[in-house]
Amino acid sequence: MDPRVGSGPLGALEDADVLLERGTIAAVGRHLGGTGDARVIDARGEIVLPGFVDTHTHAWQSLIRGCGTDSELKGWLARCVGPLFKSSVSGADAYAGVRLSTLDEISTGVTTVADFSHAFNAGFARANLTALDDSGLRFVFAYYTPDDPAVADEVRRVKRDVIDPNTRARLQIGSHPSMSGLAGLTAARRLADELGVALHVHLAESPADGDDHQMEALTRAGALEPGLVVDHAIHLSAADLDRLAAHDVRVAHNPLSNMRLATGIMPLPEMRRRHMKVGLGLDGGTNDTSDMFNDMRAAVGLQRATSLDPAASPTPADALRMATLGGAEVLGLDAEVGSLTPGKKADVQIVDPRAVNFAPRIDWISQLVFNGQPANVDWVLVDGRALKRHGRLVAVDTGRVLRDAQAAADRVHQLLHRGRSS
Ligand SMILES: [Zn+2]
């Protein structure tokens, strides 16, 4: 993902070594000896690439997999999410759901995840953060902050006590743009500015969002600024795209979610023509799985299926870049992660192509996008620490995570049922 390191637009390099030192990429090239006591991962025949960056998910939503699968966005929200805002969904439930999601993310080669937490209550948000930390992943926690000074104070405390001391953690402020909620959006933007972090919002996801005049709300709140992350960004005019591009607003593209919720197809080629920063997201429970290879395929396939042009943007190489360095740019982390550039964090995945779904070798870049599956991810390292090793998750009792998630999902579905019938 760094043209200076190797050949072609992605800087590919054959038969090379990657030297990691104290959590950092020290060198990339041929015949790197390392120090005498270097530990060697023999990845001959495999593909070493940066870990994927998931720019938008809701990690707790593994607990609502399979919920409302015949609903569009608003119906799904009403059935599977909305009732929880008035419930006592617990920190234990948040922990169990996030733990399961993060294992799924690691399995597919993700090393950085931006988790938009609905933060139903303070205990939920704190347990959500603990689970993210326990996963070993690098993470950006987008704390949904309604227009409530008590929540804003808790966000300040969380930043000081939990986020800032953790080198793998970053904060964002989650909000929702609408003219009827302009005061809340403005307060969220001010809090983000005060804390020096980015705002993260859903934008123009479904045609029904047009009623909320979201672009006007973002403008009036002073939120159109570099670093703002908008998710979906589907139902926008050319003039809207011009304004987003002019303000260097970043886009999280969630093609699997858009297909599942029947929300539409993002104008990705129009964004690329405007040189906008776009990454890929898995969007929690609306995908019902974390599979970044599938997300890349969907990003390519949606544009080809609608343009009838196999050369349509994005190309497979574009998709691979969006899933790595592009995502890091969206989150403002591209100086630290997203490519195997010496000096960056040792966030690395190793894919083994010697599998029935992947071999034989013709074009590794295209095959990563069109053939890859999470099962092909052999190693995942964050800060040089292995989270997946020889195809297996490291130091985790998966059976226990699954049992805890089932118990939490059972409780959450009771809350949803009660919320819907009240
Ligand atoms: Zn979302």
Side-chain angles (χ1 to χ4, degrees):
M1 298 304 148
D2 185 341
R4 295 166 304 179
V5 170
S7 64
L10 301 184
L13 198 58
E14 299 257 353
D15 301 321
D17 298 323
V18 180
L19 180 64
L20 311 180
E21 276 179 0
R22 288 179 294 280
T24 300
I25 298 167
V28 178
R30 298 202 171 92
H31 312 299
L32 301 178
T35 52
D37 58 353
R39 216 181 123 220
V40 176
I41 297 175
D42 185 354
R44 278 177 288 190
E46 302 190 63
I47 305 167
V48 184
L49 70 159
F52 292 131
V53 177
D54 178 0
T55 58
H56 178 71
T57 196
H58 309 277
W60 71 268
Q61 288 184 347
S62 61
L63 301 180
I64 53 167
R65 285 172 176 166
C67 182
T69 52
D70 54 354
S71 295
E72 47 60 69
L73 172 67
K74 302 294 178 184
W76 173 81
L77 281 170
R79 283 170 73 182
C80 307
V81 180
L84 298 177
F85 280 102
K86 293 170 288 182
S87 78
S88 55
V89 58
S90 72
D93 294 343
Y95 187 90
V98 174
R99 203 77 179 95
L100 180 61
S101 282
T102 50
L103 295 185
D104 204 18
E105 296 264 2
I106 293 164
S107 288
T108 194
V110 167
T111 51
T112 297
V113 61
D115 181 13
F116 186 117
S117 175
H118 292 88
F120 297 108
N121 53 65
F124 183 101
R126 293 249 175 183
N128 189 332
L129 274 160
T130 303
L132 286 170
D133 187 30
D134 289 354
S135 76
L137 287 166
R138 194 175 310 286
F139 61 93
V140 177
F141 188 73
Y143 199 131
Y144 177 70
T145 311
D147 193 9
D148 180 341
V151 178
D153 279 343
E154 170 65 3
V155 172
R156 292 182 182 98
R157 282 192 295 272
V158 160
K159 180 168 188 297
R160 186 191 62 209
D161 300 340
V162 182
I163 301 282
D164 288 347
N166 186 338
T167 57
R168 284 185 289 107
R170 293 284 190 285
L171 182 72
Q172 290 177 337
I173 303 300
S175 186
H176 189 72
S178 71
M179 282 307 291
S180 58
L182 184 59
L185 179 66
T186 305
R189 198 272 300 160
R190 286 200 184 116
L191 180 64
D193 284 356
E194 173 199 320
L195 298 176
V197 302
L199 198 65
H200 187 138
V201 301
H202 294 75
L203 174 67
E205 181 174 3
S206 92
D209 287 326
D211 300 342
D212 290 333
H213 304 285
Q214 294 183 316
M215 284 296 293
E216 187 186 349
L218 288 170
T219 305
R220 297 262 294 267
L224 286 181
E225 54 191 357
L228 170 67
V229 177
V230 297
D231 313 312
H232 307 295
I234 298 169
H235 303 281
L236 295 168
S237 67
D240 292 337
L241 292 174
D242 286 343
R243 290 178 57 217
L244 293 174
H247 289 93
D248 192 18
V249 171
R250 322 289 163 87
V251 179
H253 181 31
N254 305 270
L256 290 174
S257 164
N258 301 155
M259 290 160 67
R260 200 270 216 190
L261 289 171
T263 46
I265 298 174
M266 195 180 85
L268 180 53
E270 286 79 1
M271 293 173 177
R272 293 184 58 82
R273 271 200 288 279
R274 289 169 172 81
H275 305 290
M276 294 174 67
K277 299 183 177 80
V278 182
L280 291 178
L282 289 162
D283 204 17
T286 60
N287 283 342
D288 297 295
T289 184
S290 308
D291 182 338
M292 197 53 101
F293 300 95
N294 207 359
D295 217 30
M296 291 192 289
R297 273 195 287 286
V300 172
L302 284 175
Q303 302 301 333
R304 291 188 182 192
T306 47
S307 67
L308 309 185
D309 177 7
S313 173
T315 64
D318 294 336
L320 201 53
R321 192 184 183 285
M322 276 197 296
T324 52
L325 187 58
E329 289 169 351
V330 165
L331 299 174
L333 293 173
D334 48 303
E336 290 170 66
V337 300
S339 62
L340 300 185
T341 302
K344 287 196 181 183
K345 306 282 190 191
D347 290 10
V348 178
Q349 62 172 316
I350 302 175
V351 172
D352 189 348
R354 295 163 296 193
V356 292
N357 64 294
F358 206 123
R361 177 170 186 173
I362 303 293
D363 170 1
W364 277 158
I365 289 172
S366 291
Q367 284 167 267
L368 279 166
V369 174
F370 289 123
N371 299 91
Q373 295 177 6
N376 304 129
V377 177
D378 198 25
W379 287 75
V380 176
L381 302 106
V382 173
D383 278 341
R385 176 182 160 217
L387 305 182
K388 192 177 187 184
R389 182 198 299 135
H390 293 309
R392 299 181 72 92
L393 296 164
V394 173
V396 61
D397 182 346
T398 307
R400 182 169 171 203
V401 171
L402 290 170
R403 283 192 300 279
D404 290 349
Q406 184 65 57
D410 291 345
R411 287 191 293 269
V412 161
H413 280 265
Q414 279 182 2
L415 294 171
L416 288 170
H417 185 73
R418 260 185 255 145
R420 285 197 293 268
S421 52
S422 68

